[in-house]
Amino acid sequence: MTNNTAQTTMSTAPATAPDTGAHTPEAADTIRDARSRIDDLDGRIIGLVQERMAVSAVIQRERIASGGRRVNLSREMEILAHYRNQLGRPGTALAMTLLELSRGRV
């Protein structure tokens, strides 16, 4: 009887959707939909980062052409503070990454 019980338990255990980790079809569908939304958001975020990089290049080019420095540290501190205030400590790391992408390492 022990073997029959073990087989019954195994056959009634919920199947998982390997690509989502969900234990029900409904949860798997919700996860797939949410992941699709995240993929769309990531595409938009990447596009915005690329746009930010292009705008930053214009600013740097004009600043250097007018005899200024490539980087304006006080402006960068404002950006860091803004991201930190909005997103907490991880926001600072995100802002640093954006600044690095936009100006390269100083």
Side-chain angles (χ1 to χ4, degrees):
M1 280 175 75
T2 306
N3 287 342
N4 289 342
T5 304
Q7 289 175 353
T8 302
T9 304
M10 288 177 58
S11 65
T12 60
T16 60
D19 61 329
T20 65
H23 291 277
T24 66
E26 296 81 11
D29 288 343
T30 299
I31 291 168
R32 283 188 197 103
D33 289 345
R35 285 181 177 172
S36 178
R37 288 175 48 208
I38 285 174
D39 291 345
D40 290 342
L41 289 167
D42 285 344
R44 291 169 39 200
I45 290 167
I46 289 167
L48 289 170
V49 169
Q50 291 170 332
E51 183 178 350
R52 187 191 195 289
M53 291 167 63
V55 172
S56 181
V58 169
I59 293 168
Q60 287 180 43
R61 187 171 51 247
E62 290 303 313
R63 190 182 299 120
I64 291 168
S66 70
R69 300 182 70 177
R70 181 172 70 104
V71 175
N72 181 332
L73 295 177
S74 64
R75 173 64 177 152
E76 290 194 358
M77 295 305 291
E78 289 175 17
I79 293 166
L80 290 169
H82 178 67
Y83 274 78
R84 182 180 57 252
N85 291 338
Q86 295 298 311
L87 302 172
R89 187 172 179 181
T92 303
L94 176 59
M96 287 297 295
T97 300
L98 289 171
L99 291 170
E100 185 175 338
L101 285 168
S102 296
R103 57 143 159 79
R105 291 184 182 248
V106 178

